[in-house]
Amino acid sequence: MTIAEAVKVTVSHLQRARDAGERFTCLTAYDAGFARILDGEGVEVILVGDSLGMVVQGRDSTLPVSMDHMVYHAAMVSRATRRALVMVDMPFMSFATPEHALANAARLMAEGGARMVKLEGTRRQAEVVARLTDNGVPVCAHLGLRPQYVHKLGGYRVQGRDDETAVAMIEDARALEQAGADVLLVESVPSSLAAALRGAVSVPVIGIGAGPSCDAQVLVLYDLLGITPGRMPRFAKNYLAEGGTIRQAVGRYVADVRAGRFPDAAHSFE
Ligand code: KIV
């Protein structure tokens, strides 16, 4: 059975897809209406991203997003999702210690219906990842451009362009997998680094602005629909620009990712 045929997508389906070389899809949603459309079009992972701070709340970063906000949006998405795996972001400072992370992940799962949590991290978050996964919380570790670190990174820039940071990122990926991360997500890195990261681990790797060699792709839904305020990131593609309905735009994205047509060189970094 392929992942596209799964009746309800689980962490095991994602791993089997990677092992079988089947690409799968991920998109963000923040409410029941859009979640229902994504689920119906066969998106395998619906991410309730803290990008909601920017695209829904109109903030200029993800930092003001709270746990209460995440639980509220996660519950709406989970209620409308039948097939996809609902992955929910742990917001800024909600996983600063393993104890804090455990209590907050419990809320996202019990109140928000999350079936996986995502946290931005490097090897420094390995202890947090281990504590969560030891307690039955599936974890996706987000590497590369980590928007919650925008003030440390000095802006939303492509990461890992020099050898030193690229090697460090590969070591981070190994440490996070070793700590029990079930999935890695890598944002805004050169395609060659994303390929090396994927080769360094055996869990599925979801890419965004990370080139074509990842096991899956994710986009912010508002970018895919061309309604993000301000400048679109280079890696994003407006699938509604070709016309038709929102449902058709999501369907085209799913088909393109599965067939390896997205992302192409124009939506990747060298
Ligand atoms: O918050 C979000 O939507 C994300 C994606 C950009 C991957 O983390």
Side-chain angles (χ1 to χ4, degrees):
M1 205 218 324
T2 67
I3 189 163
E5 292 163 340
V7 175
K8 190 157 180 76
V9 178
T10 64
V11 181
S12 322
H13 287 114
L14 305 185
Q15 184 63 53
R16 270 185 258 144
R18 164 169 177 149
D19 297 342
E22 293 162 14
R23 288 160 59 92
F24 60 91
T25 53
C26 179
L27 266 180
T28 67
Y30 316 103
D31 63 31
F34 280 122
R36 205 170 287 118
I37 291 176
L38 271 46
D39 203 40
E41 290 305 312
V43 171
E44 274 85 21
V45 179
I46 298 182
L47 168 63
V48 185
D50 62 355
S51 52
L52 68 87
M54 297 166 91
V55 298
V56 177
Q57 298 177 339
R59 318 253 193 190
D60 63 1
S61 80
T62 58
L63 273 56
V65 177
S66 69
M67 270 304 296
D68 285 347
H69 297 153
M70 294 310 300
V71 169
Y72 174 75
H73 287 277
M76 290 191 281
V77 168
S78 302
R79 230 172 269 142
T81 303
R82 297 283 163 269
R83 174 180 176 271
L85 185 150
V86 176
M87 170 160 87
V88 183
D89 255 336
M90 301 205 64
F92 183 57
M93 285 297 156
S94 67
F95 52 97
T97 66
E99 288 68 32
H100 200 199
L102 205 51
N104 283 323
R107 280 197 70 196
L108 292 179
M109 295 183 84
E111 297 172 45
R115 292 202 284 131
M116 177 177 284
V117 301
K118 174 164 86 60
L119 55 86
E120 296 179 11
T122 63
R123 74 199 81 168
R124 293 199 185 86
Q125 279 68 43
E127 197 188 339
V128 167
V129 171
R131 184 68 68 85
L132 292 176
T133 55
D134 284 351
N135 283 279
V137 180
V139 173
C140 171
H142 181 153
L143 293 150
L145 174 58
R146 290 165 291 138
Q148 291 172 13
Y149 287 70
V150 61
H151 299 305
K152 283 286 277 181
L153 299 174
Y156 298 103
R157 299 204 183 93
V158 178
Q159 301 294 305
R161 282 219 190 266
D162 61 277
D163 288 352
E164 196 183 327
T165 52
V167 168
M169 209 183 293
I170 291 171
E171 283 166 10
D172 288 337
R174 288 202 179 105
L176 290 160
E177 177 182 45
Q178 187 74 33
D182 300 275
V183 175
L184 300 182
L185 184 148
V186 57
E187 176 168 355
S188 292
V189 301
S191 302
S192 55
L193 174 55
L197 280 166
R198 186 189 178 274
V201 297
S202 48
V203 293
V205 177
I206 303 177
I208 175 164
S213 56
C214 297
D215 303 290
Q217 294 295 323
V218 59
L219 280 182
V220 170
L221 178 65
Y222 283 43
D223 289 343
L224 179 143
L225 300 178
I227 55 171
T228 299
R231 198 172 55 88
M232 279 262 278
R234 175 201 157 114
F235 55 72
K237 178 170 173 186
N238 176 354
Y239 272 88
L240 204 51
E242 296 167 40
T245 63
I246 290 176
R247 218 175 266 291
Q248 286 167 335
V250 172
R252 282 196 289 269
Y253 166 73
V254 169
D256 275 2
V257 171
R258 285 190 185 149
R261 289 188 295 266
F262 181 83
D264 53 14
H267 296 92
S268 307
F269 301 107
E270 294 209 343

